[in-house]
Amino acid sequence: MARIAVTDGMAPEAVAVLEKAGHEVTLGFIEKADLLSGALKEFDAIIVRSATKLASEIIDASSGLKVIGRAGVGVDNIDLESAGKSGVMVVNAPNASTQSVVELTIGHLLSSLRHIPRSDRGMRDGKWEKSEMKGTELSGKCLGLIGFGRIAQGVAAVATAMGMEIHTYDPYLPPKVANAQGAYLHKKVDTLFKTCTHISIHCNLTEETHHLVDKKRMNLMPGKQGRIECGNHIVNCARGGIIDEVALLTALENGTVTSAALDVFEVEPVTTENKLIQHPNFHGTPHIGAATKEAQSRVGLDIAAAVIEALSGKKPQTLVNSKYLD
Ligand code: MLT
């Protein structure tokens, strides 16, 4: 029997799977100070979402730990190298939330283009701004997807069905994957920005992608498709920090970017200190890409299976730090 700490919540059916496998599950958030003073020493495994950050000092203070489960995709809240060097396997659940993030991305795109959040805010203030809310169609426009993994490919399929032309920049993608989806693969990210009026981000946050969407690149966006002045639109449901938020606010203020919709931010949780959220052509959601009943159930079951496998000494398919393990 292993002791498993689940610190950021988990679907009850997934907790039941862990218990049925004979493990003892302790549910509840653990404060950073307690993690630093060894609160995880007595646990064999921990399962986190994004709220718990497992930096190297915390891993060093958790001598009993064998497995870290990330109930989700992004592992940027875990020090993979430090875990590997301490012999701790890190596993994630990369497929479970794909459809939910695809649907949120399309929702944000449509909300921006048809001014749904702005219209709603106006109506709450007693305004009937019918003539101000003229939007544009997605159909016939060029959608630029930065990264072309599972989520981007799902977005591409829906956007194609809605009549968009798909472009992508993904330096790690075999061209045949883009070809199979009918997407034009750009060798340089700048040509993607020069071509596309609509950009959606679907890559990890790394040193290479930090502030990849900056003032210079936003200035390249064409703002029109044929005779239609549709403006430039940016959506990010991947990770905060890929867009330079200061540059984005300036671009919204000077009209270079017509609308921006973000689910993820450089600093989360977002407070009213962040001026971006006050701009009329901005709307946001609080990092809810994977927050559906379906995704959370799948994420929980997938991570429970991977953690059980890792605790039994096997290497699960979703092991993400194998290069650092001895
Ligand atoms: C993920 O990486 O799985 C998503 O961003 C969802 C999350 O962090 O909760």
Side-chain angles (χ1 to χ4, degrees), residues 49-50 70-76 93 97 237-239 264 287 289-290 296:
R49 287 180 64 193
S50 53
R70 166 65 167 97
V73 188
V75 284
D76 44 311
S97 55
C237 293
R239 271 294 175 274
V264 288
H287 201 146
Q296 282 312 306

Side-chain angles (χ1 to χ4, degrees), residues 31-276:
E31 294 295 340
K32 185 178 174 189
D34 296 327
L35 291 171
L36 282 168
S37 45
L40 291 177
K41 265 187 194 157
E42 59 193 275
F43 289 96
D44 304 282
I46 178 171
I47 298 179
V48 302
R49 287 180 64 193
S50 53
T52 300
K53 318 275 180 228
L54 296 174
S56 62
E57 314 85 74
I58 292 174
I59 292 165
D60 290 347
S62 312
S63 48
L65 212 56
K66 298 178 192 71
V67 180
I68 295 172
R70 166 65 167 97
V73 188
V75 284
D76 44 311
N77 55 327
I78 300 164
D79 189 321
L80 298 182
E81 183 171 351
S82 164
K85 287 187 174 154
S86 306
V88 180
M89 283 194 240
V90 182
V91 291
N92 72 346
N95 303 313
S97 55
T98 302
Q99 184 61 22
S100 295
V101 183
V102 168
E103 292 181 13
L104 184 70
T105 303
I106 297 291
H108 272 310
L109 264 174
L110 287 169
S111 298
S112 292
L113 299 189
R114 301 308 303 272
H115 308 298
I116 295 172
R118 268 184 67 195
S119 299
D120 177 67
R121 280 182 232 130
M123 286 180 74
R124 282 162 199 259
D125 287 342
K127 295 181 199 153
W128 188 257
E129 299 169 302
K130 189 173 162 87
S131 54
E132 288 94 324
M133 296 302 157
K134 188 187 277 174
T136 48
E137 294 176 348
L138 287 177
S139 181
K141 311 301 182 305
C142 291
L143 174 62
L145 300 169
I146 298 177
F148 204 64
R150 285 173 298 270
I151 296 171
Q153 290 177 37
V155 170
V158 180
T160 302
M162 296 181 90
M164 298 192 87
E165 184 177 300
I166 309 300
H167 294 251
T168 186
Y169 169 75
D170 185 333
Y172 304 102
L173 188 78
K176 64 176 183 202
V177 178
N179 292 343
Q181 292 259 338
Y184 182 89
L185 180 62
H186 289 253
K187 288 203 177 77
K188 292 194 171 142
V189 70
D190 286 1
T191 67
L192 182 94
F193 278 85
K194 274 186 197 159
T195 312
C196 297
T197 45
H198 300 58
I199 297 279
S200 185
I201 296 165
H202 299 284
C203 57
N204 295 327
L205 174 64
T206 61
E207 272 176 33
E208 197 184 351
T209 63
H210 180 253
H211 286 189
L212 182 143
V213 181
D214 59 5
K215 176 181 169 187
K216 186 190 113 216
R217 296 205 169 108
M218 288 186 271
N219 276 332
L220 297 174
M221 294 176 76
K224 62 179 184 173
Q225 182 74 45
R227 62 183 178 81
I228 299 293
E229 308 243 350
C230 57
N232 296 318
H233 307 272
I234 296 180
V235 172
N236 186 8
C237 293
R239 271 294 175 274
I242 298 167
I243 300 180
D244 176 346
E245 286 179 12
V246 174
L248 179 61
L249 177 60
T250 308
L252 282 168
E253 284 168 347
N254 67 26
T256 306
V257 167
T258 315
S259 81
L262 306 189
D263 183 52
V264 288
F265 297 83
E266 297 203 61
V267 178
E268 295 179 8
V270 170
T271 66
T272 46
E273 304 270 288
N274 187 334
K275 294 208 174 59
L276 197 52

